[in-house]
Amino acid sequence: MKELLDRRLLWVGGKGGVGKTSVAASLALLAAGRGRNVLVVSTDPAHSLGDVFDHDLGDAPRRLAPGLDAMEIDPGAEVEAHLKRVTGQMRRFTVPRMMDEMERQMRLSRQSPGTQEAALLERIARLVVDEGEDYDLIVFDTAPTGHTLRLLSLPEAMAAWTDGLLSHSRKSEELGKVLKHLTPKGGQDVASPFADPANENESDLDDRARSIAETLKRRRRLFMQARRAVEDKSVSNFVFVLTPERLPILETVRSVEALKEAGIPVAATLVNRVLPASADGEFLRRRREQEAQYLERIDRELAGYPCPQLPLLATDIQGLEALEELAGHLEAAGF
């Protein structure tokens, strides 16, 4: 599994509370220690990456160790930046009397279902395609599994949506040209935010249609380039973190199958917080017996993937020293 840290993209996911943020941070630290220039990114709205490093992190990379930068993507800030870009583009094409309505629609869209996920996907796509070019490796500390699966499925949905808009734009453009000849200066009674037939000529309409089409095409290219990178196992791999407990096992098995069906390469399932052999006492003996059953189940149900193990540590993981210790265990496990 050492080759995983030689890839360009590494996604660390799993059920909430299994320690994936600590694993993502330690893998990034391990890769940086081998001379790679690494960025570790939290895409989970409930960020804990800064807590693990014991540093304040924001929406721009911050250097934490030689060769290691970290950042936490703020979905709210991404939505605001996205809507600001869209509003700026819309102002070029919106007649003054409809500006208030257009801006009201933009404000309402902040609360629309999927808005944060779409904005987050766009930022991730930009990191994958161009913004992350200065880094040898980007490690993504992802949100809990269900969120991640939706995020990875969005490129196809948004590409289909973009194709539909392009098709609709072409049909509207053709219809507009026909209506222009049939109804001179007609349509003034239609409250369209983008058209004022009395004041626009055919060249203005063509320029607007081309600009909108180019914007949509650029977004589609961005999403599809990112998706191709995620699907390429020579570039990108997914590591699931789980603990030897019933619910994390069930969710990981389902998630591995879902990613497999989606064509996303899964490299390993990492079993975290396994009781060390040195732990003693009757309580821990009983816990170890139950844990052994779950470990056997993991080996059976995830037999097609490497299942390295990390021990339960005596203290919480916080700060570079603790992460260095966990990185040592990861290296011993084969990373």
Side-chain angles (χ1 to χ4, degrees):
M1 293 180 296
K2 288 184 180 295
E3 71 277 2
L4 292 182
L5 298 185
D6 294 329
R7 300 284 189 267
R8 182 159 183 278
L9 305 172
L10 184 61
W11 309 80
V12 181
K15 184 177 173 60
V18 297
K20 61 184 180 302
T21 297
S22 300
V23 169
S26 296
L27 285 170
L29 194 60
L30 182 60
R34 293 175 181 172
R36 305 207 79 196
N37 191 28
V38 183
L39 173 66
V40 57
V41 182
S42 172
T43 68
D44 189 342
H47 296 299
S48 56
L49 188 63
D51 296 331
V52 166
F53 277 111
D54 200 19
H55 280 282
D56 291 331
L57 297 178
D59 204 49
R62 177 179 178 180
R63 180 56 54 102
L64 297 181
L68 176 63
D69 291 349
M71 62 182 285
E72 294 177 338
I73 298 178
D74 181 351
E78 290 304 316
V79 168
E80 292 301 319
H82 174 71
L83 293 179
K84 184 178 180 180
R85 288 193 297 271
V86 171
T87 302
Q89 291 173 330
M90 300 282 273
R91 282 199 182 100
R92 296 163 51 200
F93 307 123
T94 305
V95 295
R97 61 190 171 84
M98 295 300 293
M99 281 297 299
D100 288 345
E101 176 61 19
M102 185 272 288
E103 290 180 353
R104 187 181 78 88
Q105 293 294 334
M106 288 296 102
R107 288 194 297 272
L108 288 174
S109 69
R110 285 178 173 83
Q111 309 304 323
S112 298
T115 298
Q116 282 201 353
E117 286 184 315
L120 185 60
L121 171 68
E122 184 169 351
R123 183 62 187 280
I124 291 172
R126 294 202 307 269
L127 280 168
V128 169
V129 174
D130 48 40
E131 288 184 11
E133 287 182 338
D134 293 338
Y135 294 98
D136 302 317
L137 170 66
I138 304 176
V139 179
F140 289 97
D141 168 33
T142 70
T145 307
H147 183 186
T148 300
L149 292 175
R150 290 195 301 277
L151 201 60
L152 292 173
S153 68
L154 269 175
E156 285 89 348
M158 297 193 78
W161 178 78
T162 301
D163 287 340
L165 281 180
L166 287 171
S167 175
H168 180 73
S169 177
R170 284 192 293 269
K171 290 176 182 176
S172 296
E173 184 181 355
E174 292 167 4
L175 180 60
K177 289 178 180 177
V178 171
L179 291 176
K180 188 179 189 325
H181 295 293
L182 293 177
T183 315
K185 297 195 181 293
Q188 189 68 33
D189 58 328
V190 179
S192 166
F194 304 116
D196 191 345
N199 298 318
E200 289 194 312
N201 56 45
E202 192 167 329
S203 176
D204 292 333
L205 292 170
D206 289 344
D207 288 344
R208 176 195 306 146
R210 280 194 295 270
S211 179
I212 293 172
E214 280 305 312
T215 299
L216 293 174
K217 287 176 182 176
R218 280 196 301 272
R219 285 174 60 79
R220 183 177 61 181
R221 282 195 296 269
L222 174 68
F223 294 135
M224 295 314 295
Q225 282 179 297
R227 177 61 195 241
R228 282 195 294 271
V230 173
E231 288 178 330
D232 186 346
K233 65 181 180 181
S234 68
V235 173
S236 174
N237 278 117
F238 211 107
V239 172
F240 275 103
V241 180
L242 71 158
T243 51
E245 298 168 288
R246 179 176 174 272
L247 292 181
I249 293 171
L250 290 173
E251 182 164 326
T252 301
V253 171
R254 285 195 297 265
S255 300
V256 167
E257 284 303 312
L259 286 189
K260 184 179 178 181
E261 290 176 7
I264 307 297
V266 177
T269 55
L270 179 64
V271 188
N272 194 23
R273 299 174 184 160
V274 177
L275 288 172
S278 58
D280 55 11
E282 178 62 18
F283 174 81
L284 289 177
R285 184 190 65 78
R286 294 179 62 186
R287 289 289 303 179
R288 191 180 291 108
E289 287 177 355
Q290 177 180 281
E291 181 182 85
Q293 296 174 15
Y294 285 134
L295 290 172
E296 182 182 346
R297 181 174 177 176
I298 290 170
D299 287 339
R300 183 175 65 254
E301 297 193 24
L302 295 165
Y305 302 92
C307 294
Q309 298 180 9
L310 293 178
L312 175 67
L313 301 181
T315 61
D316 290 342
I317 298 172
Q318 186 176 38
L320 288 175
E321 186 176 341
L323 289 170
E324 289 279 8
E325 180 184 357
L326 184 58
H329 287 293
L330 285 163
E331 190 166 33
F335 285 93

